[in-house]
Amino acid sequence: MTDIIQFHDVSHRYEGGHDVLSHVSFSVKQGEMVFLTGASGAGKSTILRLVALIARATRGQVHVHGQTLASVKPRHIPAYRQRLGLVFQDFNLLNDRTVFDNVALPLIIRGHSHRDVGRQVRAALDQVDLLNKEKVYPLTLSGGEQQRVGIARAVVTKPDLILADEPTGNLDPEMAHEVMRIFERFNQVGVSVLVATHAIDLIKAMPHRMIHLEHGRISMKVPLSVRHAGDFPYA
Amino acid sequence: MPRAAASSDRRQTFFSRLLEEHARVFFFSLGKLWQNPAGTLLTALVIGITLALPAGLHALINNVDKLSYSWEGAAQSSLFLKDSVSAERGKDLARELNARPGVARTTYISRDQALAEFRKLSGFGEALDILDNNPLPAVITVTPMHKQSRDEINALVTDLSNLPEVDMAKLDQKWLERLYGIIDLLQRGVMVIAVLLSLAVIVTVANTIRLDIQARREEIIVMKLIGAPNSFIRRPFLYTGLWYGFTGSVVALIFVGVGMAALTGPVQNLAGLYESNFSLSGLSFFAVLQVFGAGIVLGWLGAFLTVSRHLSKIEPH
Ligand SMILES: Nc1ncnc2c1ncn2[C@@H]1O[C@H](COP(=O)(O)OP(=O)(O)OP(=O)(O)O)[C@@H](O)[C@H]1O
Ligand SMILES: [Mg+2]
């Protein structure tokens, strides 16, 4: 299996600050689901930002889809991002458009034909169980429903990599659990998923690899074998 | 063959998709403006007033031009004949000139007739008897045909003055020349005003779009996050600018139309007093197209300049 994400000795500092990531190396395999954990400020979001080219590594190399991100020119960033599915903590939906129009947006950006759009949007909404909500506006939905719209928008273009930054941060435990299960469903059909999360309790029972960050360094990688054994390094 | 067919097929779908996308944004941006009718109307009003000023002035000057043109028919030219030209030759010449293109009417006035007329009009009757011989030349008055341009009439008069029998030709319309001079100046002035006010339209649209961009900052960031290229994000703003220009043009034309309508009555009254059948003409079809063209181009340009400047500054972080 090839790696879909590779970090080689990556460091990052925001302008004028200190290193928020230092010497980070890890990889995510194609078709793998990985949790990125760590305390607030540990650098989880920064890692996702580097993968989505919202920020660039100060030192070291990031490879995604076998491509060296340092070589992606600014004008090619849109095309690069179109291969990713991004899910955010605060959903980032456009509240003046219907659920349908929100989910359709990535397809319209890619220039899909009208008929194509209708079919694929409904398929995506079906996958997150929101087929009956296509005509409503996001703010009339519960947090969990809004996040499912966000997921539908991320997967409507069938990306092979989903990045999610604390997707359950604003949800109650039950909804959070439901959202995580949706990610697992996509992972089961071969999509690679990288989820940054605080919610240790939630992912405790989920059999996926974990990468734990502390102050910008990887302090622990919990391999699948350990997770399968049911051992969990946090009491 | 199949490769060429496939590539033409792909181009076909590329263009039809582009068309579909532009049609979508065309109506989407219109819908956005519709959601904020008061703001849209206000912007359209400002643009409308700005465009109405040069358009209205242009229409008024055209009418003055038309009016002076109708006076031109009254312009007469006097050809003073050389003393060596006999009365018979003079009459023949008048007849020949009458047949010339561009000439409506000619009249021969012999030296004796001229003297008699002068005697009558000047009141110098007896005083003239002192002179041994008649000092006045014979004259042919030429009335140019209606519906000729100024240049054509001038050329005609120059031609006539070059005839061997003619000593001097005089076109009696200095005041008309002056009027034309003033009209030229006014036309130039309207052009300067139009250029300045075009800048004002661009600035108005640019500022409105700038506020619009700021209000939709979050939306733009989300679009960029999900991989929208700048051209995609820019498009609705460009169409919004285009719509502002279009609605502004409509408002401008309404203003000019109402203004013209208000002037029509008094102008007809005045024309009646001068026994003229002059009536005010509104903007020509071509001028109406120009107003729409100017509005749309300026609106688009104003949007383009702002969006290009501001969009690259809004990046997710
Ligand atoms: N735009 C920025 N400019 C400067 N410093 C930043 C910026 N964004 C984040 N940081 C700093 O970088 C460090 C890591 O931030 P990051 O957002 O990656 O943490 P995180 O693990 O996602 O935290 P949380 O769980 O609270 O989301 C923090 O110390 C933060 O203050
Ligand atoms: Mg974070």
Side-chain angles (χ1 to χ4, degrees):
Chain A
M1 256 204 278
T2 51
D3 292 336
I4 197 160
I5 300 175
Q6 286 180 338
F7 273 56
H8 289 296
D9 200 22
V10 171
S11 299
H12 182 77
R13 68 169 57 182
Y14 291 100
E15 207 146 324
H18 59 284
D19 277 5
V20 298
L21 288 182
S22 38
H23 307 290
V24 169
S25 299
F26 72 93
S27 60
V28 175
K29 288 188 169 47
Q30 204 120 43
E32 203 183 7
M33 181 157 174
V34 175
F35 291 119
L36 205 51
T37 59
S40 183
K44 307 181 293 292
S45 297
T46 303
I47 284 182
L48 295 185
R49 274 185 216 128
L50 292 177
V51 177
L53 269 178
I54 297 165
R56 289 186 186 258
T58 316
R59 269 166 290 133
Q61 291 285 339
V62 181
H63 300 276
V64 178
H65 291 123
Q67 191 176 18
T68 311
L69 294 196
S71 69
V72 176
K73 296 195 181 76
R75 69 192 147 94
H76 293 138
I77 289 178
Y80 168 78
R81 287 198 189 129
Q82 287 180 10
R83 291 190 62 184
L84 311 174
L86 262 51
V87 178
F88 311 90
Q89 175 172 1
D90 45 9
F91 322 136
N92 272 343
L93 301 176
L94 305 183
N95 292 325
D96 61 342
R97 302 185 199 200
T98 61
V99 165
F100 182 97
D101 287 345
N102 267 281
V103 178
L105 200 54
L107 297 172
I108 290 169
I109 288 170
R110 288 162 179 76
H112 284 248
S113 76
H114 205 68
R115 270 189 22 228
D116 243 21
V117 171
R119 218 183 47 234
Q120 297 195 49
V121 168
R122 290 197 183 92
L125 283 175
D126 190 30
Q127 284 172 311
V128 296
D129 235 357
L130 279 179
L131 210 43
N132 55 335
K133 300 280 189 187
E134 68 171 53
K135 289 202 178 64
V136 306
Y137 286 85
L139 291 182
T140 64
L141 297 174
S142 73
E145 286 169 330
Q146 288 188 51
Q147 190 55 293
R148 273 145 61 195
V149 174
I151 295 172
R153 183 180 65 186
V155 301
V156 71
T157 55
K158 304 189 174 67
D160 54 5
L161 174 60
I162 294 175
L163 306 174
D165 194 358
E166 294 184 31
T168 61
N170 289 340
L171 306 180
D172 66 37
E174 201 172 319
M175 281 179 177
H177 194 250
E178 170 63 23
V179 162
M180 283 298 186
R181 281 205 11 211
I182 291 173
F183 283 126
E184 278 194 310
R185 281 214 301 269
F186 283 106
N187 177 240
Q188 276 157 16
V189 295
V191 180
S192 315
V193 185
L194 180 59
V195 183
T197 182
H198 279 298
I200 302 291
D201 289 341
L202 182 63
I203 62 172
K204 227 189 266 182
M206 299 177 115
H208 302 288
R209 206 149 65 84
M210 269 179 46
I211 296 171
H212 189 70
L213 285 170
E214 260 171 62
H215 305 299
R217 293 170 187 272
I218 292 179
S219 64
M220 199 181 330
K221 293 184 184 178
V222 187
L224 207 50
S225 54
V226 174
R227 302 301 315 274
H228 274 314
D231 254 0
F232 195 73
Y234 308 93
Chain B
M1 196 283 289
R3 219 160 76 197
S7 118
S8 104
D9 201 47
R10 207 175 311 133
R11 211 172 311 128
Q12 177 78 39
T13 53
F14 173 77
F15 278 121
S16 69
R17 276 181 198 172
L18 200 67
L19 204 68
E20 198 177 273
E21 165 63 8
H22 276 267
R24 184 188 69 79
V25 179
F26 185 81
F27 290 112
F28 172 81
S29 52
L30 182 62
K32 275 257 172 262
L33 292 179
W34 195 252
Q35 281 167 17
N36 176 18
T40 303
L41 202 67
L42 215 62
T43 306
L45 212 62
V46 173
I47 297 171
I49 293 168
T50 315
L51 286 176
L53 201 60
L57 285 176
H58 172 78
L60 280 184
I61 288 176
N62 273 355
N63 275 292
V64 173
D65 203 28
K66 190 178 98 177
L67 190 62
S68 63
Y69 183 76
S70 72
W71 284 329
E72 194 159 81
Q76 264 192 0
S77 167
S78 306
L79 307 181
F80 300 98
L81 301 183
K82 289 176 178 155
D83 286 349
S84 56
V85 178
S86 70
E88 283 71 40
R89 178 63 199 131
K91 278 182 194 153
D92 283 351
L93 186 61
R95 219 170 295 126
E96 282 166 31
L97 293 183
N98 210 1
R100 262 180 104 106
V103 174
R105 201 162 0 97
T106 59
T107 319
Y108 177 75
I109 302 166
S110 71
R111 301 181 64 190
D112 292 344
Q113 280 171 309
L115 188 64
E117 202 170 313
F118 186 68
R119 234 185 250 282
K120 206 169 75 197
L121 290 177
S122 66
F124 286 131
E126 269 82 68
L128 286 171
D129 289 339
I130 304 169
L131 296 173
D132 282 347
N133 48 25
N134 179 357
L136 297 178
V139 176
I140 298 176
T141 62
V142 177
T143 310
M145 210 105 85
H146 232 70
K147 304 227 159 103
Q148 292 188 87
S149 75
R150 231 188 308 166
D151 289 343
E152 280 169 329
I153 290 176
N154 280 336
L156 177 68
V157 172
T158 311
D159 275 0
L160 296 180
S161 71
N162 287 335
L163 291 172
E165 294 88 349
V166 174
D167 192 19
M168 192 174 108
K170 201 163 156 285
L171 188 63
D172 185 24
Q173 50 174 23
K174 265 279 169 285
W175 65 274
L176 205 55
E177 292 288 323
R178 290 194 190 113
L179 181 63
Y180 280 131
I182 292 172
I183 290 174
D184 269 351
L185 191 68
L186 289 178
Q187 264 163 353
R188 206 53 71 79
V190 169
M191 235 144 82
V192 172
I193 291 175
V195 169
L196 289 178
L197 292 182
S198 295
L199 291 179
V201 171
I202 291 177
V203 171
T204 306
V205 173
N207 197 46
T208 310
I209 300 277
R210 186 178 59 82
L211 295 176
D212 202 14
I213 291 174
Q214 275 169 9
R216 286 159 70 181
R217 205 190 147 77
E218 296 304 314
E219 179 181 339
I220 291 170
I221 289 178
V222 171
M223 296 256 212
K224 288 200 174 187
L225 281 175
I226 61 179
N230 274 341
S231 60
F232 180 88
I233 300 172
R234 192 189 304 143
R235 208 168 290 140
F237 291 107
L238 295 184
Y239 273 99
T240 304
L242 186 146
W243 279 120
Y244 278 136
F246 177 81
T247 46
S249 301
V250 172
V251 171
L253 290 174
I254 291 174
F255 280 153
V256 173
V258 169
M260 287 293 193
L263 290 179
T264 297
V267 164
Q268 243 153 25
N269 252 337
L270 197 63
L273 293 176
Y274 280 91
E275 291 173 357
S276 154
N277 58 1
F278 176 80
S279 72
L280 212 55
S281 21
L283 288 172
S284 65
F285 178 66
F286 183 63
V288 170
L289 281 189
Q290 275 181 317
V291 171
F292 275 119
I296 287 171
V297 168
L298 293 174
W300 185 90
L301 200 63
F304 182 81
L305 293 175
T306 351
V307 173
S308 306
R309 235 160 42 85
H310 288 271
L311 220 50
S312 55
K313 285 193 231 150
I314 302 176
E315 284 290 343
H317 45 261

